[in-house]
Amino acid sequence: MELAILNIKGEDTGRKAQLNDEVFAIEANEHAIYLDVKQYLANQRQGTHKSKERSELSGSTRKLHKQKGGGGSRIGDINSPLLSGGARVFGPRPRDYRFKLNKKLKALARRSALTLKAADNQVLDFTIDTPKTKDFLNITKNLKLDGKKVLFVLKEGNKNVSLSARNIQGVKILTAADVNTYALLNNKAVVLAESSLEVINNL
C-alpha cells in the first residue's frame, strides 16, 4: 500500500510512503481488537472502590428488640443492611482489574486496528524547531483535521512536538513503539510521521 507524503502545509511532496501490507492490509480480527481494548481499559481502573460491611461499621451490636412477640419483623443490630445507614451486603472491595493477554494476540489486534484505520491514515514529513501551539494548530488546519480527534505517531519522543500539542483538545501524541489498539480506534484520523514508518511497518 502506498500513501502520498504531505508537508506541514498539507501539500503533496511528490514522494510516496510504502506501507507494509502485513500490517496495514490484513484480515482484521475483531475479537482480538475487543480483548485488547478491554484489557487496556481494565488496566486504567484504579480499583480503589470500597464500601463498609457489617463488621466494619462503628454502630452498636446490641439487638434492637427481641426476636419474637413484638408484632414486627425480626431484626438484629443497628448495622443491619436492611436499615438506613446500615452496612452493605457483599459491597465492592479494592481489587486489581488487570489481566494478561499474549503478545501475539496484542500484535494481531494492533495490526487489525491499523488495517481498519488505513483509509484515515496520512503520512507527514514535518519537524517543529520551537514549541509553539499556534504552529501545530496550523498543521492540523492544513491537514483538514482541526476540531477532530487525531493521533500523531512519531518515531521517538520529541519535546517540541509534545509541548506544542499538549494544550490542543483532541490531539494525542504517541511514539511508534507505544502505539496501541485503543488509541488507534479512539481517534478519527492517524497521522504518521515519515520517520515512524521504520517502526510501524515492523509491528
Side-chain angles (χ1 to χ4, degrees):
M1 178 186 293
E2 287 188 345
L3 282 180
I5 299 176
L6 309 178
N7 59 24
I8 58 174
K9 295 181 179 179
E11 301 167 341
D12 192 342
T13 61
R15 295 182 290 119
K16 297 287 184 181
Q18 189 67 40
L19 303 184
N20 187 354
D21 287 343
E22 293 182 3
V23 175
F24 290 89
I26 68 169
E27 183 178 350
N29 189 315
E30 293 186 359
H31 187 62
I33 291 174
Y34 160 75
L35 290 175
D36 198 13
V37 171
K38 181 180 178 182
Q39 186 205 37
Y40 178 87
L41 294 176
N43 289 351
Q44 307 308 304
R45 299 186 68 173
Q46 289 184 325
T48 54
H49 41 33
K50 177 73 173 70
S51 67
K52 288 189 176 181
E53 297 190 359
R54 194 162 187 163
S55 63
E56 298 170 317
L57 287 181
S58 60
S60 170
T61 58
R62 178 181 66 87
K63 188 172 173 64
L64 294 178
H65 60 71
K66 63 181 182 178
Q67 180 81 348
K68 300 171 74 73
S73 62
R74 69 190 96 180
I75 197 166
D77 58 48
I78 201 170
N79 299 329
S80 170
L82 303 177
L83 298 179
S84 176
R88 181 171 176 184
V89 180
F90 303 125
R93 292 181 171 225
R95 57 167 286 194
D96 185 2
Y97 284 90
R98 294 173 179 270
F99 62 93
K100 180 182 178 299
L101 284 181
N102 293 331
K103 289 182 180 179
K104 288 185 178 180
L105 188 144
K106 289 177 69 68
L108 173 61
R110 195 163 49 242
R111 291 195 300 269
S112 296
L114 285 167
T115 295
L116 293 176
K117 300 295 288 187
D120 297 320
N121 283 341
Q122 296 189 49
V123 179
L124 189 65
D125 178 15
F126 78 111
T127 54
I128 294 181
D129 298 325
T130 56
K132 201 168 184 181
T133 302
K134 185 176 180 181
D135 290 345
F136 203 92
L137 271 173
N138 287 334
I139 292 176
T140 60
K141 288 178 181 177
N142 293 336
L143 296 175
K144 299 179 181 178
L145 296 175
D146 51 315
K148 297 180 181 179
K149 294 185 73 173
V150 189
L151 172 65
F152 282 80
V153 181
L154 310 178
K155 181 181 180 182
E156 53 193 17
N158 186 305
K159 186 177 180 179
N160 288 338
V161 175
S162 298
L163 290 175
S164 299
R166 67 180 177 178
N167 288 331
I168 303 176
Q169 188 174 7
V171 172
K172 186 173 183 64
I173 308 293
L174 283 179
T175 62
D178 294 331
V179 166
N180 59 76
T181 305
Y182 179 81
L184 290 167
L185 297 178
N186 194 40
N187 289 278
K188 177 66 177 176
V190 179
V191 178
L192 305 172
E194 184 181 7
S195 57
S196 71
L197 293 178
E198 298 176 22
V199 179
I200 293 289
N201 278 331
N202 294 306
L203 284 178

